[in-house]
């Protein structure tokens, strides 16, 4: 397999009025094409910063990032992103929120007017796969938090990005909705086979979804453990109660407790 | 029952105030050269309706002309200021300073430049009312959610894309919210200018009648001014709700107030 995301010894410092903050130091991470990677670690260790580096929104002080063979200079222009907050545009209907990336990403933006009908069909189909059949013409504020988060996922995927970046996308949801959306994400990933980097605080979420789980140390963040999850796919929610699964979660928990103390 | 009462309450309060005013004038036998009763003001309104109507219309159109200028200029300047932090920081003190200058002090200069007439009134209305528009438009742009910006930039959006797709639409509730405040300021500007130097308009009428001690007529003009102000405020409040219904329903409504 070829590496799709190659993070080589990056260091990142935020400069502020009261001195700099060293967020990441010598962080090295490799993610294969089509792999589902999860990043976990203590709060403030630089997970979100890592996401910004990978998408080219922030340049590193040193080290380099290579995505699909190209060195990252500016914003990568292809990644789909979703955060804890759905960040939908309240003046656009759900379907027009989902279509937003197609108005921006090349080559779709040039074809947007011409192929509008086709794009709308595609958006409707995507909304259907996340269980939002019939909500395309509602406004975001007519939807519950979990439904908005589904829309946000659709928006991140409509342009079929090769790379999906998720920063705690399910953190604000209740346990049932969260598990439901795990399955939604699992199915989308199995169907569309993109590369995912998922930042999360939920170790069960990481173990259920990911191929590899990377544990970061406290600030300045480094990868201290990369754990392969060898559970068979397709995975069902029941797997969360198997001893093999629980063992992985325990091991991760112990590691994080250790780095937090250090 | 309570719903109808709530609907009627603005009228009830207005009538209540007039009744109170009338009662005070009668009970204490207030001299009408000091404070005419509302009935006297309304009588003057009926008696002099022709000149009052003419002056009202002059004030209305000069205010609207100045306000139209303020909207155009305010939006353009607001977008420029909101576009870049450097421009924002550079222009903000200048604008604050300008806003602190009492516009009464500027009117004589405008009259010297443009002569007695409607142009100084239009310009004063403009000068006094553009500031809240600029501030609100710029605030709308500056308070964009950084994560949303990240989402768009990671798709390769340029700054112009982000402005067009997110910045300008999300500024709308801020803009419309500022218009209803700015329109009342514009009336103040027009009347200040008309009072200092003009040959038409309600401000001119007030100054003229005041100098000849026709107090009921002064109050009649003041009441008309208040009515125009309320009408325009209501019009822009309606426009606001109409164009930014989404903001009243979503979480942004709090920010737009
Ligand atoms: N824009 C910024 N300016 C200055 N410092 C920042 C900025 N963003 C993050 N930091 C600092 O960098 C460090 C890492 O932040 P980051 O947001 O990447 O953490 P995180 O791992 O995502 O935390 P959490 O799990 O709480 O979301 C923090 O200590 C924070 O103070
Ligand atoms: Mg974070």
């Amino acid at each position: 397999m070829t590496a799709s995301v190659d993070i080589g010894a990056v260091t990142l410092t935020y400069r502020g009025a009261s001195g700099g903050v060293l967020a990441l130091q010598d962080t090295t991470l490799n993610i294969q094409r089509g792999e589902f990677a999860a990043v976990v670690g203590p709060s403030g260790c630089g997970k979100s910063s890592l996401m910004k580096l990978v998408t080219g929104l922030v340049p590193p002080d040193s080290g380099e990032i290579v995505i699909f063979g190209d060195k990252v200079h500016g914003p990568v222009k292809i990644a789909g992103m979703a955060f804890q907050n759905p960040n939908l545009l309240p003046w656009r209907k759900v379907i027009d929120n989902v279509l937003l990336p197609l108005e921006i990403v090349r080559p779709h933006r040039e074809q947007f007017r011409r192929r509008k009908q086709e794009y709308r069909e595609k958006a409707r189909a995507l909304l259907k796969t996340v269980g939002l059949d019939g909500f395309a013409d509602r406004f975001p504020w007519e939807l519950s938090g979990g439904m908005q988060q589904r829309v946000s996922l659709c928006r991140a995927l409509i342009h079929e990005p090769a790379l999906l970046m998720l920063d705690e996308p399910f953190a604000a949801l209740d346990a049932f909705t969260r598990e439901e959306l795990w399955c939604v994400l699992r199915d989308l990933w199995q169907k569309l086979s993109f590369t995912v980097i998922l930042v999360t605080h939920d170790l069960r979420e990481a173990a259920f979804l990911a191929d590899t789980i990377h544990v970061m140390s406290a600030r300045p963040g480094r990868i201290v453990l990369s754990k392969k999850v060898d559970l068979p796919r397709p995975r069902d929610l029941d797997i969360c109660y198997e001893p093999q699964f629980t063992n992985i979660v325990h091991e991760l928990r112990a590691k994080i407790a250790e780095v937090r103390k250090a | 029952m309570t719903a109808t009462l709530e609907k009627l309450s603005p009228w009830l309060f207005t009538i209540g105030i007039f009744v109170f005013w009338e009662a005070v004038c009668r009970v204490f036998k207030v001299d009408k050269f000091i404070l005419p009763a509302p009935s006297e003001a309304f009588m003057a309104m009926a008696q002099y309706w022709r000149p009052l109507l003419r002056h009202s219309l002059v004030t209305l159109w000069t205010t609207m002309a100045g306000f139209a200028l303020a909207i155009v200029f305010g939006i353009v300047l607001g977008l420029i200021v909101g576009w870049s932090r450097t421009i924002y920081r550079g222009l903000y003190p200048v604008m604050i300073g300008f806003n602190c200058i009492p516009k009464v002090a500027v009117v004589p200069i405008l009259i010297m430049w443009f002569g007695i007439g409607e142009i100084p009134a239009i310009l004063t209305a403009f000068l006094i009312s553009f500031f809240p528009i600029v501030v609100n438009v710029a605030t709308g742009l500056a308070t964009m959610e950084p994560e949303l910006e990240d989402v768009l930039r990671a798709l390769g959006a340029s700054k112009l894309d982000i402005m067009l797709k997110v910045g300008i639409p999300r500024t709308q509730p801020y803009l419309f919210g500022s218009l209803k405040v700015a329109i009342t300021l514009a009336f103040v500007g027009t009347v200040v200018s008309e009072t200092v130097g003009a040959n038409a308009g309600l401000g001119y009428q007030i100054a003229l009648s005041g100098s000849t001690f026709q107090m009921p007529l002064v109050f009649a003009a003041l009441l008309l001014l208040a009515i125009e102000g309320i009408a325009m405020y209501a019009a822009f409040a309606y426009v606001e709700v109409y164009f930014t219904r989404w903001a009243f329903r979503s979480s942004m409504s709090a920010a737009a107030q």
Side-chain angles (χ1 to χ4, degrees), chain B residues 45-241:
Chain B
M45 218 184 270
Q47 192 185 344
Y48 297 98
W49 71 272
R50 242 173 228 284
L52 282 174
L53 181 66
R54 187 169 63 84
H55 291 307
S56 298
L57 290 178
V58 169
T59 298
L60 188 61
W61 93 255
T62 46
T63 303
M64 293 315 286
F67 188 55
L69 282 179
I71 293 178
V72 173
F73 182 78
I75 292 176
V76 170
L77 191 59
L79 290 179
I80 292 173
V81 169
W83 176 273
S84 115
R85 278 199 67 81
T86 316
I87 299 178
Y88 179 89
R89 297 185 64 145
L91 275 183
Y92 219 74
V94 178
M95 290 194 328
I96 298 282
F98 180 81
N99 200 42
C100 288
I101 298 173
K103 300 304 173 289
V104 196
V106 181
V107 176
I109 304 173
L110 292 176
I111 292 176
M112 256 172 26
W113 286 349
F114 299 103
I116 298 257
E118 278 139 12
I119 293 178
I122 293 173
L123 290 177
T124 315
F126 159 68
L127 290 177
I128 209 169
S129 64
F130 82 87
F131 188 73
I133 302 178
V134 174
V135 171
N136 273 271
V137 170
T139 307
L141 289 184
T143 53
M144 189 150 52
E145 298 82 353
E147 286 182 349
L148 186 55
E149 223 176 312
D150 284 352
V151 168
L152 295 173
R153 282 176 58 211
L155 294 169
S158 65
K159 184 142 192 184
L160 185 65
D161 287 332
I162 296 175
M163 275 293 190
L164 292 176
K165 301 284 181 203
V166 183
I168 292 176
R170 104 184 275 296
T171 300
Q172 275 183 31
Y174 295 85
L175 170 65
F176 286 115
S178 73
L179 291 188
K180 59 183 194 220
V181 179
I183 184 71
T184 56
L185 288 176
F187 272 108
V188 173
T190 307
V191 173
V192 161
S193 172
E194 287 171 349
T195 316
V196 176
N199 39 33
L202 286 174
Y204 166 76
Q205 175 77 64
I206 291 166
L208 187 70
S209 317
S211 64
T212 55
F213 298 105
Q214 290 174 284
M215 288 310 263
L217 198 49
V218 171
F219 275 81
L222 285 176
L223 287 175
L224 283 173
L225 197 57
I227 291 168
E228 284 190 351
I230 293 170
M232 294 320 293
Y233 181 96
F236 281 99
Y238 177 78
V239 168
E240 179 188 13
V241 176

Side-chain angles (χ1 to χ4, degrees), chain A residues 16-237:
Chain A
S18 50
V21 175
L22 185 59
L24 295 168
Q25 191 170 35
D26 277 332
T27 306
T28 299
L29 185 57
N30 285 301
I31 295 163
Q32 304 302 314
R33 189 179 284 263
E35 186 181 342
F36 199 127
V39 178
V40 298
S43 180
C45 70
K47 301 182 295 293
S48 299
S49 306
L50 190 66
M51 304 289 266
K52 285 194 179 163
L53 282 175
V54 171
T55 44
L57 298 172
V58 177
D61 297 332
S62 65
E64 67 170 18
I65 294 160
V66 179
I67 293 187
F68 303 122
D70 293 322
K71 189 165 186 262
V72 172
H73 286 293
V76 288
K77 306 193 175 176
I78 44 125
M81 290 182 104
F83 295 90
Q84 177 172 344
N85 195 328
N87 284 314
L88 301 176
L89 306 179
W91 58 91
R92 285 181 172 228
K93 289 183 176 165
V94 163
I95 187 159
D96 296 313
N97 266 290
V98 174
L99 287 170
L100 180 66
L102 297 181
E103 295 171 29
I104 288 167
V105 175
R106 284 170 215 288
H108 300 289
R109 67 183 295 161
E110 285 84 8
Q111 306 165 355
F112 190 76
R113 276 166 196 280
R114 195 153 34 85
R115 297 172 59 184
K116 190 151 190 181
Q117 220 43 49
E118 177 192 333
Y119 286 155
R120 291 186 88 84
E121 286 314 311
K122 193 173 157 186
R124 274 178 206 282
L126 190 56
L127 283 168
K128 192 171 174 177
T129 59
V130 300
L132 285 179
D133 220 6
F135 286 93
D137 292 309
R138 302 292 185 95
F139 283 95
W141 33 265
E142 297 178 278
L143 271 55
S144 72
M147 289 156 93
Q148 292 187 23
Q149 199 54 265
R150 289 165 206 240
V151 178
S152 174
L153 266 183
C154 288
R155 181 178 66 187
L157 289 170
I158 185 73
H159 58 294
E160 295 174 11
L163 181 62
L164 179 65
M165 311 288 290
L166 302 172
D167 194 345
E168 302 181 34
F170 310 131
L173 304 175
D174 67 276
F176 291 113
T177 314
R178 194 181 305 166
E179 292 184 357
E180 210 178 310
L181 287 189
W182 291 355
C183 297
V184 167
L185 180 59
R186 173 198 65 192
D187 296 341
L188 285 170
W189 175 72
Q190 240 139 25
K191 204 167 113 208
L192 303 172
S193 64
F194 37 80
T195 309
V196 190
I197 304 182
L198 167 74
V199 168
T200 179
H201 280 134
D202 185 341
L203 301 178
R204 292 171 66 243
E205 177 172 307
F208 177 70
L209 287 166
D211 295 318
T212 317
I213 301 171
H214 303 276
V215 181
M216 282 179 82
S217 67
R219 192 165 53 88
R222 277 172 300 105
I223 306 294
V224 290
L225 173 72
S226 292
K227 170 88 187 154
K228 277 250 178 290
V229 182
D230 292 322
L231 303 172
R233 290 193 188 268
R235 292 176 194 160
D236 195 74
L237 276 177

